[in-house]
Structures are given as structure tokens and as C-alpha cells.
Amino acid sequence: MRGPGAKVDIGDGVEQRLITVLKTELSHADRLIEQFGEDRALELFTAYQTAVEDAVNRYDGAIAIGGRVGGVVIASFNWPKAQEDPCDQAILAAL
């Protein structure tokens, strides 16, 4: 039985592993634009994205390429850096 962070060598120096993906979304992001205007909403989105990125980094996750769009942030755990318990790490980052 393999755990969630297990790596499997499938030959030719290639390894296969399960990853955990975390997607966060700022609720009612469109309302922020309406309420505060585009410039202030952009500041709020950036602060939100930075806070999520800090939490993801704290638990050895990685922000996906193109994974920061408006009120959405997508991160992966157990890739590119291998982890023993990527599911637990993603949950901790989300909290």
C-alpha cells in the first residue's frame, strides 16, 4: 500500500507520484469590484493572493504556473517538491 506522498520509479529516471491540488477562491470577488472600484479591488486581490501564497509556502506547496487569477489561487503539494503527507499539508495551508 502506498501512502499519498509515495513515489514510484517507472523507469528511465522517470518517477510517478500522486499530487494534491488546492484551489482557493475569494467569495464574491465581483462584488469587491462593484463596491470598491477596480484599483482598490486589485489591491485586495493581491493581498489575498499573497496571504494564500504565504500559507502554501509555509507547508512546502507550490503555486501553479498561472495559478493566481483574480480571487483564485491554485497550488500543488507533492510536486515539484516531494512530501510525505501532501494531503495534510494542503489542509494545513487551507486553514
Side-chain angles (χ1 to χ4, degrees), residues 22-83:
L22 171 68
K23 177 188 176 209
T24 65
E25 187 167 352
L26 187 60
S27 295
H28 307 295
D30 54 336
R31 290 186 193 167
L32 291 176
I33 296 169
E34 292 172 10
Q35 185 173 355
F36 296 108
E38 289 182 10
D39 291 339
R40 180 68 179 130
L42 179 58
E43 291 174 14
L44 295 170
F45 292 157
T46 301
Y48 167 76
Q49 291 171 339
T50 300
V52 172
E53 187 170 349
D54 289 347
V56 167
N57 289 335
R58 187 176 314 120
Y59 293 100
D60 294 326
I63 302 299
I65 295 172
R68 291 174 55 150
V69 179
V72 175
V73 179
I74 300 172
S76 65
F77 293 81
N78 204 36
W79 185 87
K81 183 177 179 181
Q83 297 171 292

